[in-house]
Amino acid sequence: MKNRIRAAAALAAVAALALSACGSKDDGGTTGSSTTLNIVGFAVPEAANKAIAAEWNKTDAGKGVKFQTSYGASGDQSRAVVAGLKADYVHFSVSSDVTRLVDANLVAKDWNAGPNKGIVSSSIVVLAVREGNPKGIKGWDDLIKPGIGIVTPNPASSGAARWNALAAWGHITANGGTDAQATEFLTKLFGNVVALPGSGRDATTAFLGGTGDVLLAYENEAILATQAGEKFDWIVPSTTILIENPGAILTNADPKAKDWLSFVLSKDGQRQFALKGFRPIIEGVDTTGVQGAKDPANPFPTPEKLLTVSKDFESWSALSKKFFDEKEGLIVKVIAASGKAK
């Protein structure tokens, strides 16, 4: 328990960077400013968004703007906005969580029509292991061996969990395997799951607190935790997936939200993402000096085989139905059969 508390505190300390730029309506700002932007997001990019906000506050467009923020599991946050949680800008793990807001007439149908296709941040799925890699984990196939305890969040609430499951599925199908073989692989993988927390951040905290041998995680989560002083290793598997996180402005958002999104997508905004371990979504961003990366001068190595939603899974609409439908989704059925979901 002490380890878990320490791990949570370490991550919280990093997430609190640039706190003066984000928080209550009374935080920071210039005299006379009355603009407060409400940001609702999934838990993982909180530290990056706060760092971006601090930089934006230094610009003419962002001067004096304050922030109210809410972070949690992506699916839960999306449903909360539909239920009435105030938001000017949302930053979710998966595009289907923005689609929910489109269906509720809270976000414009063309939210993803720009050159970035609605994506504001990106990462990849990695395998985090204990320091020194005592279990000798080299890739996906090692995760289904007897005696390996896996930590991954729950796809019912977490977008990170969905990326993890898709990466595991693609390890089989993108290398010549069938859907039946992929189902068998995931059945064995979830058979080794020892914790299924509600969000990617909760999964990281559980692993750092001593649960399990392997954490399926965003690469940026591994870098962020290392920045916080945690000691562990991680492997970029030979086959992994490009995580693409969407951001969108709500239809009734404060006009300043457009300026905010423009800065998020700029080189300066993407530089702050990179410093927190995210892979920039545009060319020309300075990625040197990323502390916590294995090689700060080259923090984002190219995986041997990098899957994408559009190339390998058709679309989020298609894969959501195939894999994550509450009754018929292939991965949902695997998890239900494992008995690990609460």
Side-chain angles (χ1 to χ4, degrees):
M1 179 62 71
K2 289 183 179 179
N3 285 341
R4 185 165 298 182
I5 293 172
R6 178 179 60 82
L11 281 174
V14 174
L17 293 176
L19 185 59
S20 62
C22 295
S24 72
K25 291 184 178 181
D26 294 328
D27 286 346
T30 57
T31 302
S33 173
S34 60
T35 300
T36 297
L37 291 183
N38 294 272
I39 295 179
V40 176
F42 70 113
V44 170
E46 180 177 4
N49 282 337
K50 288 182 176 180
I52 294 169
E55 291 301 307
W56 187 52
N57 280 152
K58 298 175 184 178
T59 70
D60 289 341
K63 189 175 183 180
V65 177
K66 305 176 185 69
F67 296 86
Q68 289 279 15
T69 62
S70 173
Y71 291 95
S74 187
D76 290 346
Q77 292 292 87
S78 174
R79 286 183 281 270
V81 173
V82 172
L85 178 62
K86 185 173 176 54
D88 294 293
Y89 168 81
V90 293
H91 184 185
F92 293 146
S93 179
V94 295
S95 294
S96 55
D97 285 336
V98 179
T99 301
R100 181 181 289 112
L101 304 191
V102 174
D103 293 341
N105 296 317
L106 297 174
V107 168
K109 293 181 179 180
D110 63 350
W111 70 275
N112 57 355
N116 64 309
K117 305 298 183 184
I119 303 304
V120 299
S121 60
S122 71
S123 191
I124 61 173
V125 172
V126 299
L127 314 178
V129 298
R130 298 298 171 194
E131 189 174 16
N133 195 9
K135 296 286 187 174
I137 303 297
K138 296 180 180 178
W140 290 106
D141 290 335
D142 294 317
L143 303 192
I144 63 173
K145 293 179 179 178
I148 301 297
I150 300 170
V151 178
T152 184
N154 190 337
S157 58
S158 168
R162 297 189 175 201
W163 289 112
N164 293 343
L166 290 174
W169 185 276
H171 162 65
I172 300 299
T173 58
N175 291 295
T178 64
D179 279 4
Q181 289 171 321
T183 299
E184 180 183 5
F185 179 79
L186 261 73
T187 298
K188 293 178 180 178
L189 187 148
F190 276 96
N192 278 350
V193 165
V194 294
L196 207 63
S199 73
R201 173 53 51 79
D202 289 343
T204 301
T205 301
F207 176 74
L208 296 178
T211 301
D213 305 299
V214 183
L215 168 70
L216 306 189
Y218 285 8
E219 177 185 50
N220 58 280
E221 275 286 87
I223 292 174
L224 185 70
T226 302
Q227 289 177 358
E230 296 295 337
K231 303 295 184 183
F232 63 97
D233 297 324
W234 69 90
I235 296 103
V236 176
S238 57
T239 298
T240 188
I241 193 167
L242 178 65
I243 296 166
E244 297 176 296
N245 309 130
I249 296 170
L250 275 73
T251 53
N252 63 347
D254 186 285
K256 273 290 181 183
K258 292 183 178 180
D259 293 330
W260 161 256
L261 180 55
S262 293
F263 189 80
V264 166
L265 297 173
S266 72
K267 289 183 180 180
D268 288 338
Q270 290 294 306
R271 167 66 173 165
Q272 295 306 311
F273 269 129
L275 289 173
K276 298 302 180 188
F278 286 89
R279 297 184 172 219
I281 65 166
I282 59 174
E283 298 292 331
V285 176
D286 179 9
T287 59
T288 60
V290 178
Q291 298 304 310
K294 292 183 178 181
D295 181 359
N298 181 30
F300 306 121
T302 302
E304 291 181 30
K305 182 175 290 187
L306 185 61
L307 311 177
T308 67
V309 167
S310 60
K311 177 171 62 72
D312 299 283
F313 295 96
E314 188 179 342
S315 68
W316 263 106
S317 176
L319 73 83
S320 293
K321 182 177 180 180
K322 178 177 180 178
F323 297 112
F324 303 113
D325 180 83
E326 292 182 3
K327 294 183 178 180
E328 298 299 326
L330 295 178
I331 292 175
V332 169
K333 286 183 175 181
V334 167
I335 297 173
S338 74
K340 302 298 173 68
K342 294 181 181 180

